[in-house]
Amino acid sequence: MKQNEFLATVMPFKDKLYRMAKRLLVSKEEAEDATQEVLLKLWNKSDKMGSYKSVEAFAMTMTKNFCLDRLKSKQAGNLKLVHSNYEDGQHNLQRSVEQADSVSWVEKIMEELPEQQKMVLQLRDVEDYDFEEIEEMLGMKATAVRVTLSRARKAVREKLIQKHSYGIG
Amino acid sequence: MELDKKIEVLLEKYFEANTTLAEEKLLRDYFAQDTIAEHLEAYRSMFGYFNKAKVDVYTKQVPLKPRRNVNFRWLSVAASVIVVIGLYFGQLGYRNYQEQKQLEQEQARYAYQQTKKALNLLAENFGKGTQKMAYLKTFEVSKDKIYNEN
């Protein structure tokens, strides 16, 4: 496969890979690195690309695995993501800034979700994939996808309503 | 109001993960409006965020190196050629060594034969010496006889 051919194949979904990576890794730089890594791996395998049912789904699975590995090794190296512990410290400042932009709450809320829920929510509500694609990408059963998705959406709603009433009260 | 009802129903389905993609789009579009029913206001940021999250793009250039097409078939061919060459030269060296060893052995055998011959010769001459000594014995006997008679 030629380089421009490869780029043409990858172009339509590279942003989706990046957004998925960012959802999992949070940091922009890390997400960019992860995306690059995945694209390079894909490029090295591009000879076999024809044999994959869906290159996009395959690439998404690679991204998922790569990011989860990253997270795992980070946890092992005791480099926990920073954002999980600035909840308490600058409470007031944080809150007043966030109130101006309640949309970013949702981002924060999503950061707190378990990885599986994060991924399903990302793939469905941000990227609009249908259920079969999500099943393939995450290697999950149909019912599992729906249950996880429902849980994720409800979790977001719950926290959002909490913050809402808290903000008002 | 009709729409609000519909949205409420959709929301219910949405949280059970039973909505279709089209229905979810409907929800997102509804919450993107400026004016929505007050009791639904709480969901606005949720769907608003999903819309916002879609636009984040990956801008970095991927440095695609022209692939080093390491074909493992050729790699194995190269490896086996090296092995064959190695075997050939090894064989040659071994044979040389063998030949040299044989030569040495022959030389050693020759030297051994020569020494043996020389020693045999020596022994033969010694043999001759002892034969001559036998006459001395006769001389002794006759000498004794003469002495005893006197």
Side-chain angles (χ1 to χ4, degrees):
Chain A
M1 188 178 270
K2 287 270 158 56
Q3 231 189 71
N4 41 4
E5 242 180 293
F6 173 77
L7 287 176
T9 324
V10 159
M11 226 15 114
F13 60 81
K14 71 170 179 27
D15 293 337
K16 297 182 182 180
L17 301 182
Y18 167 65
R19 289 191 290 254
M20 179 65 149
K22 199 170 163 211
R23 177 69 59 210
L24 288 168
L25 300 174
V26 182
S27 131
K28 183 171 181 275
E29 285 74 30
E30 277 193 71
E32 279 175 348
D33 287 350
T35 314
Q36 176 171 330
E37 204 73 24
V38 167
L39 289 177
L40 286 178
K41 270 189 203 170
L42 210 57
W43 165 243
N44 286 329
K45 285 184 184 175
S46 62
D47 285 336
K48 288 178 243 154
M49 220 136 95
S51 60
Y52 302 133
K53 211 165 73 195
S54 154
V55 180
E56 185 171 341
F58 180 73
M60 192 57 91
T61 309
M62 276 173 75
T63 310
K64 175 203 101 180
N65 290 337
F66 185 87
C67 293
L68 291 184
D69 279 355
R70 259 296 150 79
L71 288 174
K72 214 177 279 171
S73 66
K74 208 180 284 186
Q75 246 162 8
N78 223 351
L79 278 160
K80 262 222 150 202
L81 290 179
V82 198
H83 65 274
S84 55
N85 48 23
Y86 62 62
E87 190 96 272
D88 292 315
Q90 328 102 326
H91 221 68
N92 291 325
L93 179 69
Q94 195 81 20
R95 192 155 295 277
S96 57
V97 171
E98 277 176 10
Q99 249 156 10
D101 184 12
S102 66
V103 165
S104 72
W105 282 2
V106 183
E107 188 164 19
K108 290 266 147 55
I109 290 170
M110 274 184 81
E111 277 176 24
E112 289 160 18
L113 293 178
E115 265 120 34
Q116 205 77 354
Q117 293 187 17
K118 252 188 229 182
M119 291 191 288
V120 174
L121 202 58
Q122 171 74 15
L123 291 176
R124 179 64 176 192
D125 280 346
V126 180
E127 308 297 1
D128 291 331
Y129 283 115
D130 59 39
F131 284 117
E132 287 80 45
E133 286 171 309
I134 298 174
E135 286 160 30
E136 195 189 334
M137 286 166 183
L138 301 185
M140 289 168 78
K141 293 247 164 61
T143 42
V145 171
R146 277 180 198 266
V147 168
T148 312
L149 182 62
S150 168
R151 270 191 205 143
R153 283 170 174 172
K154 281 176 180 166
V156 173
R157 172 176 65 179
E158 209 163 293
K159 290 211 174 133
L160 206 57
I161 286 171
Q162 254 175 32
K163 290 208 175 186
H164 240 278
S165 49
Y166 197 36
I168 292 162
Chain B
M1 285 307 109
E2 186 98 344
L3 184 63
D4 291 350
K5 266 269 152 345
K6 193 179 165 194
I7 292 298
E8 272 169 46
V9 172
L10 278 185
L11 270 178
E12 202 138 308
K13 273 176 79 183
Y14 172 79
F15 282 107
E16 296 306 322
N18 285 328
T19 37
T20 63
L21 284 172
E23 285 168 334
E24 282 163 25
K25 174 130 190 0
L26 217 69
L27 281 172
R28 274 203 304 273
D29 289 346
Y30 172 81
F31 284 103
Q33 295 169 19
D34 285 337
T35 48
I36 57 177
E38 207 170 319
H39 64 289
L40 297 177
E41 191 69 42
Y43 301 111
R44 189 203 277 277
S45 50
M46 189 167 175
F47 291 95
Y49 173 69
F50 293 145
N51 272 333
K52 206 186 99 182
K54 281 187 219 303
V55 293
D56 207 358
V57 291
Y58 177 70
T59 48
K60 234 171 128 182
Q61 277 294 330
V62 186
L64 289 184
K65 278 176 250 115
R67 229 163 330 146
R68 281 175 300 136
N69 223 336
V70 185
N71 203 328
F72 282 97
R73 213 171 302 151
W74 284 112
L75 208 68
S76 66
V77 169
S80 46
V81 164
I82 288 171
V83 166
V84 165
I85 289 174
L87 278 179
Y88 175 71
F89 279 106
Q91 193 80 1
L92 219 67
Y94 182 66
R95 205 172 293 155
N96 268 348
Y97 167 72
Q98 205 85 335
E99 267 166 25
Q100 205 160 5
K101 213 166 135 188
Q102 217 164 16
L103 206 75
E104 259 168 39
Q105 254 170 10
E106 254 158 50
Q107 274 172 347
R109 204 172 295 138
Y110 178 70
Y112 170 69
Q113 295 295 4
Q114 290 293 316
T115 319
K116 208 165 138 187
K117 220 185 207 170
L119 285 177
N120 268 340
L121 227 71
L122 201 67
E124 219 170 286
N125 285 330
F126 266 126
K128 273 185 199 157
T130 25
Q131 243 170 28
K132 293 285 186 273
M133 291 291 268
Y135 297 128
L136 272 182
K137 180 107 184 168
T138 332
F139 172 74
E140 182 89 17
V141 169
S142 17
K143 184 198 86 182
D144 279 350
K145 263 186 202 160
I146 292 166
Y147 272 114
N148 289 340
E149 271 172 32
N150 292 333

